[in-house]
Amino acid sequence: MGYLPVENDRSIYFEHHRGSGRPIVLVHGWGANARAWDTTLPALLAHGNEVVTIDLRCCGRSDKDFDDVSIAALGEDVVRLVDHLGLDRPVINGWSLGGAVATVAVAQLGDRASGLVLTGGASPRYTATDDWPHGGSVDDVEGTLAAVAANRAETFRGVAAAVCAQNPGEAVLDSIWDMFMAMGPRGDDSLRDLATVDLRKEMAALEVPILLLHGTADAFVPFSASEAVCSINARAELVEFTGVGHAPFLEDRDRYLAALTGFLKR
């Protein structure tokens, strides 16, 4: 594990698990941290991959008092980490808000990346607009953030309970809630920024393979958004997880890992 300075004296936490196989960077969603991948990481290591996980700004073990928590800044952090570790053409896998972060990172890396994976990814847009009828509204996001500001623990308990389509059990629910509660309040503004970010041009310009792993019962990012990505970039491939919610790596782990490791073998 280590810490990488990214803004003045503020640092982000990361873990670098070495391997001889293709590198992959796992980028968590809003409010989560590197522990979100604890049931994914062992399989990737067994597969021989070099794996990097990070705690985004204000999340997990990263510093909590960053000035800039925008999607652009988070994406730049991923690029900095790739450069710092000297990763050789990694795949970047982003879950939820991490999908937007991963998209920004791959767009910046260009041919220094070899693939993009969106796991229920909030990319290229999280909210609906006139020509993007997928997702909720900016007002919906502001309502969620207002609820978080008023009662952080109770609101995040409800958000955690909505991650999976089926009840994952109290232990898993508690672990998701614990991750949310480890995010500092400045991290809320990352979601606020996501509400207005539009990465359609960046998505269309990507020249790497794109894998979308998305549940049809996702309560946060509609399945139709991933379907739309396939019309934006012809290199995109969608794997549908029927009846699965926002975290297919938790709800249908075996199939998720089969799809992900298959992509990494290409």
Side-chain angles (χ1 to χ4, degrees), residues 101-148:
V101 175
T103 302
V104 169
V106 172
Q108 291 189 15
L109 287 166
D111 60 8
R112 293 192 294 135
S114 63
L116 170 66
V117 179
L118 299 178
T119 299
S123 179
R125 278 196 65 97
Y126 181 54
T127 56
T129 188
D130 291 344
D131 57 350
W132 183 262
H134 315 286
S137 68
V138 173
D139 287 344
D140 293 334
V141 173
E142 289 296 341
T144 297
L145 292 174
V148 169

Side-chain angles (χ1 to χ4, degrees), residues 12 26 28 33 47 94 132 152 156 164 184 196-198 202 206:
I12 58 168
L26 302 176
H28 64 77
N33 55 56
H47 190 251
W132 183 262
R152 201 164 186 83
F156 274 142
C164 297
T196 57
V197 164
D198 193 320
E202 289 83 352
L206 294 182

